[in-house]
Amino acid sequence: MTPAQQSALAQLAGRALDAAELAALAPLVQARNDVAVAALLSVGRVVIEPREIGVGTILAVLGGEWLDQLATLGDADRTVYWAMELIRQGRLDIGMAETRARVTALAALQPGLAEGLHQLLALAEVAAPLHHAAVSAALEAAA
């Protein structure tokens, strides 16, 4: 695989490709198996979409005891208190960048809630596979 092809695929993936990925991609690029290249580059690719959650979602994902812990934390943390208002209304958007940043910060401060908070954040993550046509175009441009 040429440096131009490596660069084109890294740009398409939106990140640097490590040595193991490059080794796996090289024979596929040489054979111009663009479908397989797209599949490899798509592993773990997600986009964050708006996702409003409420009590029902949290109950389904984490249960009532976890929700009770969060509500109790709201007694001492005003940000959590007001977030609980949005949760009760089914309007807490865990896809919003600011919400995600605050939830991530809260997870660092509250290890007992961290796993659940990360599970909630994952609800806004949607798979974003690359289409083989994008790989074809990138490799053609690199030729």
Side-chain angles (χ1 to χ4, degrees), residues 101-115 117-118:
R102 289 184 181 269
V103 169
T104 300
L106 181 62
L109 294 172
Q110 298 290 328
L113 295 174
E115 182 179 339
L117 292 168
H118 290 299

Side-chain angles (χ1 to χ4, degrees), residues 21-116:
E21 289 175 303
L22 291 171
L25 288 166
L28 299 173
V29 170
Q30 184 176 357
R32 282 309 301 260
N33 186 343
D34 297 351
V35 171
V37 170
L40 273 177
L41 291 177
S42 294
V43 172
R45 280 193 86 210
V46 296
V47 293
I48 307 301
E49 293 191 347
R51 174 74 191 268
E52 290 186 342
I53 64 169
V55 171
T57 301
I58 295 174
L59 285 173
V61 173
L62 300 168
E65 289 180 18
W66 192 91
L67 188 56
D68 286 343
Q69 291 176 17
L70 188 63
T72 299
L73 179 59
D75 293 338
D77 183 318
R78 297 307 290 172
T79 300
V80 174
Y81 173 86
W82 289 110
M84 288 302 300
E85 288 298 313
L86 292 172
I87 289 169
R88 287 182 187 96
Q89 297 170 25
R91 296 182 43 230
L92 181 67
D93 186 353
I94 58 170
M96 184 185 298
E98 183 61 29
T99 301
R100 295 181 70 78
R102 289 184 181 269
V103 169
T104 300
L106 181 62
L109 294 172
Q110 298 290 328
L113 295 174
E115 182 179 339

